[in-house]
Amino acid sequence: MAAASSDSKTPFSLDSYHVSEELGFILPEPLEELPPYYQPWMDIALQVPEAVHSHRLRSLINEMPLLSSQFLQRHRELRLAHLVLSVMTMGYVWQEGENDTVEMLPRTLAVPYWEVSQRLGLPPVLTHADAVLANWKKKDPEGPFDMENLELLVSLPGGDSVRGFFMVTLLVELAAVPALRSIPIVINGVSCGDTDAVTKSLEEISQSIQDMTEALKLMQEYVEPPVFYGIMRIYLSGWKDNPSMPKGLVYEGVQTEPIECSGGSAAQSSLLHCFDELLGVKHETKSGAFLTRMRDYMPPAHKQLIQDISLQPSLRNFVQQQANKQLSQAFQQCVTRLLALRSYHISVVCRFITLPAARARQLRNQSRDSEGEMISRAPTALEERGTGGSGIMTFLKTVRDQTRDTFLTETSKEMKHHS
């Protein structure tokens, strides 16, 4: 191991990036209530699924008072406000499905939503930072952080599958916390040539990525594919790259020109962006551009962390220069596990989107059972697309293949030979 350098550079730390020691990117202890002045928002947000089902949500929002956002002071208040306004917006836009969308969000919703979004540095659409990171509470505050003890603050149409989808995704975020904590140790170890510290931390990261894959497997247990595909997906969709809303959405009282926003996407989670930058995964132009654009849908501090990791000396080069067997193995294992996570995610997308899409096409002109009815009602515009607007399978497979190219040379050749 090389001697530590006497470099006076400040060690890399997660302190300034709104990353929690225990929860990573998850917002610790989200508020469940806004100040009383904002009760009209809470009252509507808590009944979005029922109000959409009874076709009343648009009229409830049209009759809502215009409230000022100035009484929202703390970060957690702003995050809860953004979450409830986001859920109301998704319900308002998609209440009647893809064939009766709206061109304008009413002023009573659009103006405060825009103001809150500007203050948080988030776009005015439902994001991963809202629906997953800031949308949870423990039933028993002293109990474990697991599926049985977690519930949503607000929901969307789709019943238990909505809770399952968001809570499983939250547990994937939680599984990544040890890996996030290890990133500064890797960066500082590379800076001062501490091979042992880098090796040990890469082993931690590798285990953590495997735990993320295991957490993601809960999706099969807690989310029903027909419900996800036939009911939920449209409420996670945005108004960019979406044929149902080709012009975007006008936010009344904000600006007269329509605004385009992508819908929710796993690419809005900061986790894999951090791992990609740390390990040196290079994405090709088109998929890379989509991933970079998704960073604008993250809390600014998390986006900054990804950027700052990318500016650090290359870990991959360090591993190659050290020519240390244990270090190389730890690096390769990280890439292997990241590849396995991405491959598993592809199988999840296949189960929840690709297969139901094929079934929907097949069922449209046939007599249907209730599950078939649900699937065939799904929006046709989204058949082969992710809710973030990407052509989903091509995108995911390209990203996976770029991950494979990150292996150190010998393994890379071997993997290509077997794939």
Side-chain angles (χ1 to χ4, degrees), residues 100-357:
D100 184 14
T101 53
V102 293
E103 293 185 354
M104 183 183 287
L105 203 61
R107 177 187 308 270
T108 52
L109 179 50
V111 171
Y113 193 20
W114 179 261
E115 290 171 356
V116 170
S117 298
Q118 292 293 107
R119 287 171 68 184
L120 284 171
L122 288 171
V125 70
L126 183 73
T127 67
H128 175 84
D130 303 304
V132 176
L133 302 181
N135 188 21
W136 64 276
K137 66 177 175 183
K138 286 182 173 183
K139 295 174 192 171
D140 170 6
E142 303 306 312
F145 204 114
D146 63 17
M147 286 303 288
E148 283 63 48
N149 195 39
L150 286 168
E151 55 190 355
L152 298 173
L153 300 178
V154 292
S155 193
L156 288 164
D160 287 343
S161 285
V162 179
R163 175 186 170 271
F165 183 71
F166 292 146
M167 295 288 97
V168 169
T169 309
L170 187 72
L171 292 180
V172 173
E173 290 275 344
L174 186 70
V177 172
L180 279 178
R181 283 201 298 253
S182 297
I183 287 175
I185 304 169
V186 170
I187 289 171
N188 295 325
V190 168
S191 291
C192 65
D194 188 341
T195 307
D196 290 352
V198 174
T199 303
K200 188 168 180 299
S201 294
L202 286 175
E203 287 166 354
E204 280 268 339
I205 292 170
S206 173
Q207 181 58 51
S208 198
I209 296 172
Q210 186 174 9
D211 293 342
M212 290 167 67
T213 306
E214 289 305 311
L216 187 56
K217 288 178 181 174
L218 291 170
M219 208 61 90
Q220 298 186 50
E221 192 180 333
Y222 289 97
V223 185
E224 294 178 50
V227 178
F228 178 78
Y229 186 79
I231 299 176
M232 281 173 59
R233 280 189 83 218
I234 195 167
Y235 298 101
L236 304 175
S237 306
W239 26 99
K240 179 178 173 63
D241 301 327
N242 187 339
S244 300
M245 293 183 67
K247 294 179 183 169
L249 182 67
V250 173
Y251 290 68
E252 187 185 25
V254 175
Q255 63 179 55
T256 52
E257 288 300 304
I259 294 168
E260 291 188 324
C261 293
S262 294
S265 166
Q268 292 173 5
S269 167
S270 304
L271 296 172
L272 296 196
H273 292 255
C274 287
F275 301 151
D276 281 350
E277 295 298 355
L278 185 73
L279 297 169
V281 177
K282 300 281 181 267
H283 295 288
E284 57 83 53
T285 312
K286 193 176 176 188
S287 58
F290 177 76
L291 287 167
T292 301
R293 185 158 62 76
M294 287 298 101
R295 294 180 186 181
D296 294 334
Y297 290 72
M298 300 172 186
H302 299 171
K303 177 184 175 181
Q304 188 63 52
L305 172 61
I306 299 162
Q307 176 65 17
D308 289 351
I309 293 171
S310 77
L311 300 174
Q312 304 305 313
S314 165
L315 166 64
R316 193 169 181 275
N317 288 352
F318 174 78
V319 173
Q320 287 175 313
Q321 285 159 7
Q322 296 296 309
N324 175 298
K325 189 180 175 189
Q326 212 180 340
L327 174 64
S328 296
Q329 283 174 343
F331 180 88
Q332 302 289 64
Q333 184 75 299
C334 275
V335 180
T336 301
R337 297 270 169 84
L338 186 56
L339 194 55
L341 174 58
R342 285 192 156 127
S343 294
Y344 186 74
H345 184 235
I346 289 172
S347 73
V348 171
V349 169
C350 188
R351 185 165 186 257
F352 285 89
I353 298 174
T354 313
L355 294 177

Side-chain angles (χ1 to χ4, degrees), residues 83-104:
L83 170 64
V84 301
L85 295 168
S86 294
V87 165
M88 286 156 64
T89 296
M90 300 320 250
Y92 188 93
V93 169
W94 300 114
Q95 175 178 290
E96 304 301 329
E98 67 175 338
N99 297 319
D100 184 14
T101 53
V102 293
E103 293 185 354
M104 183 183 287

Side-chain angles (χ1 to χ4, degrees), residues 72-90:
L72 298 163
Q73 301 295 340
R74 295 175 295 151
H75 180 74
R76 280 186 182 81
E77 287 177 348
L78 288 165
R79 291 290 289 273
L80 179 56
H82 199 271
L83 170 64
V84 301
L85 295 168
S86 294
V87 165
M88 286 156 64
T89 296
M90 300 320 250

